[in-house]
Amino acid sequence: MLPTPTSERLLSHGLLDVLIRAGMIAVLAISCFEIFYPFLNLIVWSLILAVTLYPLQVRLRGGVLNSDGRAATLIVIVALGIVLVPTWLLGDAVVDSAERALAIAKSGSFRIPPPAESVAAWPLLGQRLHDFWLQAATDLTGLAQKHAPQLKEAGVALLGAVTSVGAGLLIFFMALIIAGIFMAYGEAGSRSAVQIASRISGPENGPKITALCTATIRAVAQGVVGIAFIQMLLVGVAFVVMGIPAAGLLALAVLLIGIMQLPATLITIPVIAFVIATEGVTVATIVFSIYVFIAGLADNVLKPLLLGRGVAVPMPVVLIGALGGMVTGGVIGLFIGPVVLAVGYQLFWRWVEDVPQEDRSRER
């Protein structure tokens, strides 16, 4: 039966109506995303913190504090204190190191010892290193003027890194406060998450996907970011107490390489060698060296305890997430990247392995 002109008009009118609705929905969705985008990192970071800390709130709520709001407030206050004190100590150490370097530069008393002749015999870069070192020892001002453009670029990059770290800390403090609000409404938020996942993937898969995302977030946050932060505190406090130059920057480097799944001994061993070379072998330096060396290996003990819980995530996924997050989102992306990529990795493999029963019977 051929379509009549009336049915064709109705069909075209219905198609036009659908296209108009779809276009209006698309415009609304794009507008909402553009408005929400500046706060995306903050909200994602807040959700990660809320999901990670929520089990602690459940324990506190079941004890003396018989309220979600009180438990969340206590967690936020304690967490801010735990983060602010080391941050202040490390920041003070960085400022003190910068003041010392500036004072030495103004006094003109900074001298670089000349290199040994054996340096020139080193393979590949020995002669170049010897000449550069010798010029720095004899004419540091001329060397600085010669490489002024490179030094300027390095200074700008360093200033940008410091600014990024400061912005990341500010976002972290704000995210921690927002996470406290999320935790205060944790049960309602959990139901909403299940409803959203069920609406997207069906009522059967919704609760499973929500549980998978929750377990992945907690596993990566505790086993990667948490371990790196604990290791930074252990090593950074020792650096500050020992008076290591640029102790704050070195502790921050321990945190960053810890998130990137690199060994902290890349920082601790050179610092130990520096302390022994400058201050000699004493009781203080021996105790410092032993403590810092053990603290640099603490991740080997903490990883089986924390990362083994929940979901096992391959280390390459965490490494790629850390590096990609740092490139796209700066310091805050270094924390968010591994968690988001790990969640995406788990969801992807769940989709791959979620083969319908009919397809499985056909494969057999």
Side-chain angles (χ1 to χ4, degrees):
M1 181 178 179
L2 297 175
T4 63
T6 303
S7 62
E8 289 181 354
R9 286 196 298 271
L10 292 174
L11 180 62
S12 61
H13 178 74
L15 180 60
L16 180 62
D17 187 54
V18 170
L19 292 176
I20 291 175
R21 291 181 180 179
M24 294 178 65
I25 293 173
V27 170
L28 179 62
I30 294 173
S31 301
C32 292
F33 178 78
E34 290 181 349
I35 295 171
F36 181 74
Y37 181 75
F39 306 96
L40 182 61
N41 283 344
L42 177 62
I43 299 301
V44 171
W45 196 211
S46 301
L47 288 173
I48 292 173
L49 291 173
V51 172
T52 304
L53 297 174
Y54 188 70
L56 178 60
Q57 176 182 334
V58 173
R59 294 181 182 180
L60 293 175
R61 182 185 60 190
V64 180
L65 301 174
N66 192 17
S67 170
D68 285 328
R70 294 175 184 174
T73 303
L74 178 61
I75 291 174
V76 170
I77 292 175
V78 173
L80 286 174
I82 292 175
V83 175
L84 281 174
V85 172
T87 301
W88 180 81
L89 291 175
L90 295 178
D92 184 67
V94 171
V95 173
D96 184 61
S97 300
E99 290 178 351
R100 290 182 185 177
L102 186 61
I104 293 174
K106 288 183 177 180
S107 64
S109 60
F110 180 71
R111 294 289 183 272
I112 297 177
E117 294 298 330
S118 59
V119 176
W122 291 359
L124 298 179
L125 300 177
Q127 188 61 46
R128 294 182 180 179
L129 178 61
H130 179 273
D131 296 340
F132 183 84
W133 192 346
L134 183 61
Q135 185 178 3
T138 56
D139 186 15
L140 183 60
T141 303
L143 182 64
Q145 293 176 352
K146 179 180 178 181
H147 297 279
Q150 292 84 352
L151 293 175
K152 182 179 179 180
E153 292 178 1
V156 172
L158 181 60
L159 181 61
V162 173
T163 304
S164 179
V165 170
L169 287 174
L170 181 61
I171 292 176
F172 175 78
F173 295 144
M174 295 176 62
L176 191 57
I177 296 173
I178 297 175
I181 300 174
F182 288 161
M183 287 188 294
Y185 299 92
E187 293 183 359
S190 177
R191 290 194 297 268
S192 299
V194 173
Q195 289 176 352
I196 294 172
S198 300
R199 188 71 177 87
I200 295 174
S201 58
E204 295 182 358
N205 293 326
K208 297 179 181 179
I209 290 177
T210 304
L212 177 64
C213 293
T214 301
T216 304
I217 290 173
R218 289 174 182 165
V220 177
Q222 294 175 4
V224 177
V225 180
I227 290 175
F229 187 76
I230 293 173
Q231 203 165 23
M232 180 202 71
L233 292 181
L234 294 174
V235 175
V237 170
F239 286 174
V240 172
V241 172
M242 197 65 184
I244 303 297
L249 295 178
L250 292 173
L252 180 62
V254 172
L255 174 65
L256 300 183
I257 66 174
I259 295 176
M260 291 187 290
Q261 299 300 297
L262 297 175
T265 50
L266 294 175
I267 303 295
T268 58
I269 290 180
V271 171
I272 291 172
F274 170 79
V275 170
I276 294 177
T278 54
E279 300 189 14
V281 179
T282 62
V283 175
T285 57
I286 292 175
V287 172
F288 170 82
S289 301
I290 295 175
Y291 171 81
V292 170
F293 183 77
I294 295 175
L297 300 176
D299 58 330
N300 296 315
V301 178
L302 295 174
K303 280 180 181 178
L305 297 176
L306 298 178
L307 191 57
R309 300 176 181 178
V311 179
V313 180
M315 286 300 105
V317 175
V318 176
L319 177 60
I320 294 172
L323 296 177
M326 182 174 61
V327 172
T328 57
V331 175
I332 195 68
L334 187 66
F335 296 89
I336 298 176
V339 180
V340 174
L341 191 62
V343 172
Y345 172 85
Q346 292 293 337
L347 291 177
F348 171 76
W349 276 108
R350 176 176 175 78
W351 173 77
V352 171
E353 296 172 355
D354 189 14
V355 181
Q357 192 67 27
E358 297 178 358
D359 295 343
R360 292 181 181 177
S361 60
R362 291 176 183 176
E363 293 177 357
R364 294 177 182 175

